[in-house]
Amino acid sequence: MCGILGLLLADQAESAAEYLHEALYLLQHRGQDACGIATCAGGGRIFQCKGNGMAGHVFQDGRRIRDLPGFMGLGHLRYPTAGSSANAEAQPFYVNSPYGICFAHNGNLINAPELRNYLDHEAHRHINTDSDSETLLNIFASKLQETGKFRVNEEDIFNSLGEMFAMCKGGYATVGMLAGFGIIGFRDPHGIRPLILGERKGAKGGMDYMFASESVALDQLDFINHINVKPGEAIIIRKGGKPIHKQVHPQLDYAPDLFEYVYFARPDTVIDGISVHRSRQNMGAYLAGTIKRQLGPEILKSIDIVIPIPETSNTSALIVAQDLGIPYCPAFIKNRYIFRTFIMPGQKLRQKTVRRKLNAMRTEIEGRNVLLVDDSIVRGTTSKEIVQMARDAGALKVYFASCAPPIRHAHIYGIDLADTKELVAYGRTEAEIAEVICADAVIYQTLPDLIASCHSLNPAIKNFEHGVFSGEYVTPVDTGYFAQLEEARGENAKLKRKEAAINAVAAGVASPGDISAALEGTNGTASNRNNGGDVSERMDISIHNIGDYKS
């Protein structure tokens, strides 16, 4: 899951980077690993700043924005999906041929190896990273180059996108920019990943246009008349022109990812006509009914307070408390300034991370039976630590309710949850899960209730992507893909553990295992990767990549 933005301003003297930079903060929750902005100035020259880290770090609290001239541009926030965590995989991506094209992409391609083989053997285009996003960009570029024209028009772009859609399988939403031409936005034929277009009055009587992953970014920058890009649709906005819509591939489904509503999207966002806030209210109402049925009246009478695990579950937990007639008590307080600072290798340090991010209020918990409500349970590590924190604060009994069903399958469309075998629900019953996380009972939302929570707010959407819960995906998936996905995630995990180990060594808190991990692949030690080893600190070769240079 990533956050993407595309902006075209009516006044060519205005700075697109200023608005894109502000919008990145509004979507920061969608990706904290890396971010970037690419802009296009007069003469079609493209500038970019990108790198690992959050927006404030990469753009030095806005000081780098002055180095990004231009009236149109793209923005991206990366949450790790396919590929690694290298600086070179920060987006937007750029290719100079043909015409100078940039892409910012959210999602995952499930036939990427096949596409890379095509690019190598037939299109003769070099792919420099493991990122699906670079692959998607080069597929489009190769098709556009086949026109053989000195300059392309809208119909050429639509036709090339149609050919790209026919080749690429998976879930994706993408914004693009052609140097000196304009911006484009498109969405996969199943509508899995979100993309919204808004407009506002610009300078000199023209109109500004922005694409964004969530409506909140458009709202905050005064863009109105929001339109959800349809599955299989592409929209081209030429500089000085109006949006041109075309269905470049037949709509195969309209199946937004349920996890957007459960966890990823901000509550003040509306995606595909569904209010995230109201969907979470519905989740709370349905979950309360399940809790009543599973726990029974005697246990319910014994529960003293309902506690949300901040912040995503706050809305649902409030409705659960109201429907059960039990006081709502936000007894876990989140430290908003921790973010990813304390992510370290090893189980013990991960547990310490939870305690640094959350603090249990003993005055509200001690001597009480509590019902904890969270948005979901993934590995169970965090849930177990939270249950223990409640017990350490004096809770007598701890019940744990999840607004999402058990997660037992891989997410294949751009959300890197975990290796399937690391999922706490994998191969376990609810009673066994409760034992693992040390809760007195675990109650899960049912999948039909979760679907109903969203469907009721927009009856036009009759299907949702829920493969992570059911194992049934909206696109056909080759059996070998899951093995490839697990291998890629394993390699990514190794790189992240090494990076964390290096940080532990630098901080003077390294264990012998940390030191060993930090030294792996150095001084002649063998490395498991044959494609350059740990490349997380190496520079990308893209033009004007000012994010690579520290000032």
Side-chain angles (χ1 to χ4, degrees), residues 365-379:
I365 295 174
E366 189 169 23
R368 289 177 163 181
N369 297 327
V370 302
L371 172 62
L372 308 181
V373 178
D374 206 350
D375 53 76
S376 59
I377 306 173
V378 184
R379 290 178 177 87

Side-chain angles (χ1 to χ4, degrees), residues 158-310:
F158 281 135
N159 290 338
S160 298
L161 285 170
E163 294 182 68
M164 182 205 73
F165 269 67
M167 295 181 66
C168 298
K169 301 175 184 176
Y172 50 88
T174 307
V175 289
M177 177 172 65
L178 274 69
F181 184 92
I183 62 174
I184 61 177
F186 57 87
R187 194 175 181 189
D188 71 82
H190 296 85
I192 298 170
R193 302 256 65 86
L195 187 61
I196 307 164
L197 173 65
E199 63 181 20
R200 72 180 181 190
K201 290 184 179 179
K204 300 178 181 179
M207 296 295 292
D208 299 336
Y209 297 97
M210 177 179 264
F211 291 102
S213 296
E214 295 187 27
S215 65
V216 63
L218 303 175
D219 289 334
Q220 290 294 302
L221 294 176
D222 299 321
F223 285 85
I224 60 174
N225 300 327
H226 299 175
I227 299 172
N228 290 283
V229 180
K230 298 174 183 176
E233 181 185 40
I235 301 174
I236 297 175
I237 313 173
R238 198 164 186 167
K239 64 178 182 181
K242 296 181 179 181
I244 303 173
H245 301 245
K246 186 171 183 179
Q247 193 73 29
V248 297
H249 191 284
Q251 180 175 315
L252 301 179
D253 205 339
Y254 202 154
D257 190 341
L258 276 174
F259 236 97
E260 289 283 352
Y261 304 99
V262 169
Y263 174 72
F264 285 114
R266 276 179 48 153
D268 46 350
T269 279
V270 177
I271 297 175
D272 292 312
I274 299 172
S275 161
V276 175
H277 174 71
R278 290 187 177 179
S279 73
R280 290 176 184 169
Q281 287 181 317
N282 290 347
M283 291 175 206
Y286 279 111
L287 182 58
T290 302
I291 292 170
K292 290 177 184 177
R293 290 191 299 272
Q294 291 194 13
L295 293 186
E298 291 304 315
I299 292 179
L300 285 177
K301 287 179 184 178
S302 72
I303 296 175
D304 298 295
I305 52 174
V306 173
I307 304 176
I309 307 304

Side-chain angles (χ1 to χ4, degrees), residues 16-77:
E18 291 183 10
Y19 296 110
L20 290 168
H21 178 244
E22 182 177 352
L24 287 178
Y25 290 97
L26 296 167
L27 298 183
Q28 184 75 80
H29 59 285
R30 297 189 66 87
Q32 299 178 10
D33 267 29
C35 64
I37 291 174
T39 59
C40 184
R45 193 175 187 188
I46 294 174
F47 297 80
Q48 71 175 11
C49 174
K50 65 179 185 175
N52 283 357
M54 296 173 68
H57 168 74
V58 172
F59 296 101
Q60 295 184 351
D61 297 322
R63 291 191 296 276
R64 290 180 184 249
I65 296 304
R66 63 178 179 269
D67 298 318
L68 295 170
F71 60 95
M72 62 178 173
L74 308 179
H76 188 270
L77 293 151

Side-chain angles (χ1 to χ4, degrees), residues 80-126:
T81 54
S84 77
S85 58
N87 267 323
E89 296 191 6
Q91 297 187 46
F93 276 110
Y94 164 82
V95 290
N96 69 338
S97 177
Y99 316 116
I101 309 169
C102 287
F103 265 19
H105 161 253
N106 172 29
N108 205 35
L109 301 178
I110 62 175
N111 65 331
E114 172 189 329
L115 297 172
R116 292 189 184 106
N117 184 70
Y118 164 82
L119 289 169
D120 185 19
H121 291 84
E122 297 186 42
H124 310 303
R125 300 185 72 91
H126 174 68

